[in-house]
Amino acid sequence: MKASKLRDMTVDELHLQETQLTDKVFRLRFQVAAGQVENPARVHLLRKDLARVKTILREKALAAQAPGAERMKVTNE
């Protein structure tokens, strides 16, 4: 899932997405252990998506704490 798509979501939608991804990772890990999954690398992709969701949630929480503070953009110059 793209981070730009996640940034367009509301905080409630992101929490729902986080819950769903956590559940998917949990279930998929058991399937991998039992040898019932076709693509075990999918666990890695789901964990990365979960990390993206948590990162966006953290960004939104920090933005809500300091609404007047400008965020510095880091450029590669």
Side-chain angles (χ1 to χ4, degrees):
M1 183 172 295
K2 297 275 186 177
S4 59
K5 185 177 177 182
L6 292 173
R7 284 190 176 93
D8 293 338
M9 292 180 161
T10 65
V11 174
D12 290 334
E13 291 172 334
L14 286 170
H15 282 295
L16 178 63
Q17 188 75 19
E18 179 184 16
T19 304
Q20 290 173 348
L21 286 171
T22 303
D23 187 53
K24 284 181 185 179
V25 169
F26 179 77
R27 292 176 190 273
L28 195 59
R29 286 181 64 213
F30 276 103
Q31 289 177 359
V32 168
Q36 298 176 349
V37 69
E38 293 179 18
N39 186 6
R42 187 161 180 248
V43 175
H44 177 70
L45 297 175
L46 287 174
R47 288 181 66 211
K48 287 182 88 167
D49 285 343
L50 181 59
R52 281 188 195 99
V53 169
K54 288 183 176 188
T55 300
I56 302 297
L57 279 169
R58 177 73 175 148
E59 287 175 358
K60 290 187 181 243
L62 290 175
Q65 286 179 356
E70 292 184 29
R71 293 181 52 180
M72 297 177 62
K73 291 186 178 181
V74 178
T75 59
N76 293 332
E77 293 182 40

